[in-house]
Amino acid sequence: MDSGLVSETPYLRDTVRTSVKILIVGHFAVGKTTFVGTLSEIRPLRTEERMTQAGATVDDLAGIKDKTTTTVALDFGRLTLSDEIVLYLFGAPGQQRFNRLWDDLARGALGALVLVDTARLEQSFAVMDIVEKQGLPYAVAVNHFDGSPGFPDEEVREALDLAPGTPLVNCDARDRRSSTEALISLVDHLVTTTREKKQ
């Protein structure tokens, strides 16, 4: 899916003075590539490859049998917030075998948005462990899939063992407005976290 925001020029405005690196993370097939593509104002960089029989023994396709491609390195997109501030969105692959890429992807990142699917919440634990080991503040966005069970936020927070201050929002990675609101929740959290560290 190409973004509806794709600009005519890939170049940054001359007025941009601040760039912010954000990770978009989550377990396998949770919608990271779609999320980055929905928000990116440039044609997103994708490193998707067709899934083969060789991956069938390591990629759990339960509940996602229609998936035919997977990210093997990263997704990359850009979103200009103002004349002076730009966000760089880096989508990390969700399979454990790509965990070695995380050190490089996390370097210089201010925080992470963790996408989760209520049908496969248990797959989120390993991803959240990595984010916490990297020392990144994060927000969690429940990406709604057709047929996924709906739960009250309190139950999702408890299931994921989220700290009280960790934002939890709902989104649809295919929808620009919804995805923007999820990203805003993370940015607000990063601002609050930064202020608290300075006090």
Side-chain angles (χ1 to χ4, degrees):
M1 171 191 298
D2 288 327
S3 170
L5 293 174
V6 175
S7 62
E8 294 179 11
T9 175
Y11 302 108
L12 275 179
R13 299 174 191 168
D14 292 339
T15 56
V16 170
R17 299 290 175 258
T18 304
S19 60
V20 178
K21 181 180 183 180
I22 300 291
L23 295 187
I24 308 301
V25 301
H27 57 74
F28 174 59
V30 76
K32 301 175 296 290
T33 298
T34 300
F35 187 94
V36 171
T38 296
L39 287 180
S40 184
E41 66 194 14
I42 58 173
R43 189 169 306 283
L45 168 68
R46 295 185 173 133
T47 59
E48 285 194 306
E49 293 294 334
R50 183 161 293 285
M51 295 174 67
T52 65
Q53 196 60 36
T57 59
V58 290
D59 293 331
D60 182 6
L61 296 178
I64 49 170
K65 63 182 186 310
D66 294 332
K67 186 165 178 63
T68 59
T69 61
T70 188
T71 299
V72 295
L74 61 94
D75 298 306
F76 173 78
R78 186 185 79 202
L79 181 60
T80 302
L81 295 185
S82 71
D83 287 340
E84 297 185 350
I85 302 173
V86 66
L87 291 183
Y88 291 115
L89 307 176
F90 286 78
Q95 297 99 310
Q96 200 167 16
R97 67 183 182 275
F98 297 122
N99 284 358
R100 285 186 287 176
L101 294 171
W102 275 69
D103 287 340
D104 290 331
L105 288 175
R107 190 172 293 119
L110 286 190
L113 183 66
V114 181
L115 297 181
V116 301
D117 175 6
T118 56
R120 299 176 291 143
L121 276 182
E122 71 284 351
Q123 294 181 23
S124 302
F125 301 141
V127 173
M128 292 171 68
D129 283 346
I130 295 172
V131 171
E132 290 174 356
K133 284 177 186 171
Q134 293 289 343
L136 294 172
Y138 63 92
V140 175
V142 177
N143 187 18
H144 287 282
F145 289 87
D146 297 335
S148 286
F151 298 102
D153 286 354
E154 300 77 28
E155 291 185 21
V156 175
R157 293 187 76 85
E158 184 177 348
L160 294 175
D161 194 26
L162 297 182
T166 303
L168 174 67
V169 296
N170 294 285
C171 79
D172 180 339
R174 300 165 296 184
D175 180 72
R176 181 174 31 172
R177 182 183 198 122
S178 174
S179 297
T180 300
E181 289 171 358
L183 196 57
I184 288 170
S185 73
L186 171 63
V187 172
D188 286 344
H189 181 56
L190 295 178
V191 169
T192 301
T193 303
T194 302
R195 283 181 185 154
E196 289 172 354
K197 285 182 180 176
K198 289 181 178 178
Q199 293 177 350

